[in-house]
Amino acid sequence: MNNNNSSKATNKYLRLSPHKARRILEQIRGKKYNEAILILNFLPYRSCKTITKILQSAYSNIISNTTTEIDKNQLIIKKAFANPGPILKRFKPRAQGRAFPIRKPTCHITVELENI
């Protein structure tokens, strides 16, 4: 499980599609912390800002949970995944009294850092 060399951060019920969040997480999985932050800063997607905050939270967790000095260059992203959350269901009024369903997906994003 979590030892002194790893830490994780989770954000739940985000109003992002899990499919779109996974597209970003695949880009940073296995990369070093500094490299991942740099990649997220230059990708043009909306979910990058949220994923950056989760990554910084995981870094903050590993700093507060260890007594030794942690180097940002020695941290790699061990796990990064997005699970689907509950779907908000709405209806859009259409012509002639019809209603079309609208599905607003949510997701839970988890990022785990490990000190190598």
Side-chain angles (χ1 to χ4, degrees), residues 8-36:
K8 72 178 183 177
T10 304
N11 202 342
K12 293 185 173 186
Y13 304 104
L14 295 170
R15 274 287 291 122
L16 299 168
S17 167
H19 178 70
K20 292 178 181 179
R22 284 185 199 115
R23 175 176 61 184
I24 308 303
L25 294 171
E26 286 171 4
Q27 298 289 318
I28 64 169
R29 192 178 300 127
K31 302 260 193 308
K32 292 187 177 181
Y33 174 79
N34 284 339
E35 187 179 346

Side-chain angles (χ1 to χ4, degrees), residues 24-84:
I24 308 303
L25 294 171
E26 286 171 4
Q27 298 289 318
I28 64 169
R29 192 178 300 127
K31 302 260 193 308
K32 292 187 177 181
Y33 174 79
N34 284 339
E35 187 179 346
I37 292 289
L38 192 64
I39 289 170
L40 289 170
N41 284 337
F42 288 103
L43 285 175
Y45 305 112
R46 188 186 99 178
S47 59
C48 290
K49 187 175 180 180
T50 306
I51 294 172
T52 302
K53 286 183 181 182
I54 298 168
L55 193 56
Q56 289 170 344
S57 177
Y59 174 71
S60 178
N61 289 343
I62 202 167
I63 292 295
S64 66
N65 291 340
T66 58
T67 56
T68 60
E69 193 66 30
I70 299 290
D71 184 19
K72 285 185 180 181
N73 295 323
Q74 297 297 318
L75 292 174
I76 59 169
I77 299 170
K78 183 178 176 185
K79 293 180 188 174
F81 55 90
N83 293 329

